[in-house]
């Protein structure tokens, strides 16, 4: 079967494309020894949007970050922090592993403090993107009518495609877990989880229409850095079939 001309199946008055199943696994990419150095060289230079406080000793700026990411600022044998401090002529204080707190940057020159802050932000963003998703934003479709129609859809698919390899009831979503996905998140601390709850409550109070709601919720989370921007608008969808369900019946 050609990919550009998939078989079409009519179910419940609608036409669906039947694409070939291709299950792939990917090996975790190993980090290159020069990775940290490359990031330092590619980091964008001074941004004037940071809050830098003048002190008796010079200037000071703080960075909020989950403790799981501290090691990426410290680097192997502390090399990354040392390189940052030398190149920006600053001192960088990082909480001990497992302790939540703020990264503190101090220096005699404001430009150096801002440069260090910019580079730290690049490191944090880069390694946050490498973390597996921990949470997702979604609206659950727990209406009885929606679940009944889904079960009818499942019944018709199994009836018409029962002879096809890999098509069985194990790849269908649990009706009680049907949802509309907005976006995936990486929340690495209790503070970020609390921040998420507060932002959702704000969104609930400010937004009404569904598409506008999900678009603006996504915009707010993208602005916070908890979701990486990939699209300008959410394509609302509910996953009803996935071969991952066969491997893990409890998967969402």
């Amino acid at each position: 079967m050609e990919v550009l001309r998939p078989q079409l199946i009519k179910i419940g008055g609608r036409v669906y494309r039947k694409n070939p199943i291709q299950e792939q696994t990917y090996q975790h990419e190993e980090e290159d020894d020069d990775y940290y150095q490359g990031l330092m060289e590619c980091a964008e230079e001074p941004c004037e949007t940071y809050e830098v406080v003048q002190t008796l000793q010079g200037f000071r700026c703080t960075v909020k970050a989950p403790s799981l990411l501290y090691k990426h600022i410290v680097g192997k044998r502390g090399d990354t922090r040392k390189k940052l401090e030398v190149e920006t002529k600053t001192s960088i204080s990082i909480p001990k592993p497992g302790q939540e707190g703020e990264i503190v940057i101090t220096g005699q020159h404001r430009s150096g403090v801002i440069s260090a802050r910019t580079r730290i932000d690049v490191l944090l963003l880069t390694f946050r993107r490498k973390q597996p998703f921990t949470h997702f934003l979604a609206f659950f479709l727990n209406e009885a009518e929606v679940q009944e129609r889904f079960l009818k859809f499942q019944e018709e698919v199994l009836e018409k495609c029962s002879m096809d390899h890999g098509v069985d009831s194990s790849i269908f979503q649990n009706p009680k877990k049907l949802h509309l996905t907005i976006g995936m998140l990486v929340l690495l601390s209790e503070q970020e989880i609390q921040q998420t709850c507060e932002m959702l409550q704000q969104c609930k109070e400010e937004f009404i229409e569904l598409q506008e709601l999900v678009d603006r919720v996504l915009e707010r989370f993208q602005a916070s850095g908890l979701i990486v921007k990939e699209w300008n608008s959410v394509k609302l969808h509910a996953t009803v079939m996935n071969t991952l369900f066969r491997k893990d019946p409890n998967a969402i």
Side-chain angles (χ1 to χ4, degrees):
M1 180 182 65
E2 295 184 15
V3 175
L4 297 178
R5 296 181 179 178
Q7 180 182 350
L8 301 179
I9 300 176
K10 183 176 291 186
I11 297 177
R14 296 185 177 182
V15 178
Y16 296 85
R17 293 179 302 175
K18 179 182 170 186
N19 294 324
I21 297 175
Q22 295 181 343
E23 298 187 23
Q24 300 179 348
T25 56
Y26 301 90
Q27 295 182 347
H28 185 270
E29 297 180 357
E30 296 184 356
E31 294 182 355
D32 189 281
D33 291 338
D34 297 327
Y35 186 73
Y36 294 98
Q37 182 176 352
L39 271 181
M40 291 299 95
E41 294 172 352
C42 296
E44 296 179 2
E45 287 302 325
C47 172
E48 296 295 330
T49 61
Y50 300 132
E51 182 178 348
V52 179
V53 179
Q54 188 168 8
T55 66
L56 295 176
Q57 291 76 30
F59 296 87
R60 182 177 184 272
C61 183
T62 59
V63 186
K64 291 184 178 180
S67 59
L68 286 175
L69 298 181
Y70 292 163
K71 61 182 179 182
H72 300 301
I73 308 302
V74 175
K76 297 178 182 178
R77 301 178 299 277
D79 290 346
T80 301
R81 175 166 59 181
K82 292 176 184 176
K83 182 177 176 64
L84 277 169
E85 292 178 328
V86 170
E87 293 187 350
T88 61
K89 295 181 175 59
T90 60
S91 176
I92 301 173
S93 175
I94 302 174
K96 295 180 180 180
Q99 295 183 356
E100 297 296 337
E102 293 182 328
I103 298 172
V104 181
I105 308 167
T106 56
Q108 293 184 356
H109 303 286
R110 187 174 187 275
S111 60
V113 171
I114 293 177
S115 179
R117 170 62 191 270
T118 302
R119 297 183 181 206
I120 288 175
D121 279 354
V122 171
L123 282 169
L124 291 173
L125 177 61
T126 300
F127 288 101
R128 178 182 287 277
R129 289 180 173 179
K130 286 179 171 287
Q131 304 302 313
F133 295 123
T134 61
H135 298 73
F136 71 101
L137 292 175
F139 292 110
F140 277 88
L141 303 174
N142 51 9
E143 294 291 331
E145 182 180 359
V146 173
Q147 295 184 11
E148 290 174 4
R149 292 191 177 186
F150 166 73
L151 291 173
K152 179 63 176 177
F153 169 80
Q154 175 179 326
E155 180 183 338
E156 293 184 15
V157 170
L158 293 176
E159 180 182 344
K160 296 188 178 184
C161 305
S162 60
M163 301 302 293
D164 295 326
H165 176 69
V167 179
D168 56 49
S169 59
S170 67
I171 67 174
F172 283 86
Q173 176 65 284
N174 182 331
K176 295 181 180 180
K177 293 183 177 181
L178 286 174
H179 58 272
L180 294 176
T181 302
I182 299 176
M184 308 298 294
L185 300 110
V186 176
L187 305 180
L188 302 177
S189 67
E190 289 299 324
Q191 288 83 352
E192 291 188 345
I193 293 175
Q194 181 61 35
Q195 179 186 358
T196 296
C197 293
E198 293 173 358
M199 290 174 65
L200 284 174
Q201 183 60 37
Q202 292 173 0
C203 292
K204 178 181 178 182
E205 296 171 357
E206 296 176 17
F207 311 146
I208 301 177
E209 195 269 335
L210 184 56
Q211 184 64 51
E212 178 189 5
L213 171 61
V214 296
D215 285 345
R216 295 183 66 180
V217 167
L218 185 64
E219 288 175 4
R220 184 158 294 185
F221 276 86
Q222 288 172 340
S224 72
L226 297 176
I227 290 183
V228 178
K229 184 173 182 179
E230 296 182 278
W231 304 281
N232 292 324
S233 180
V234 178
K235 184 176 181 180
L236 285 173
H237 69 281
T239 301
V240 296
M241 298 171 64
N242 194 317
T243 54
L244 292 176
F245 297 152
R246 179 185 292 122
K247 299 175 183 177
D248 181 7
N250 295 319
I252 294 181

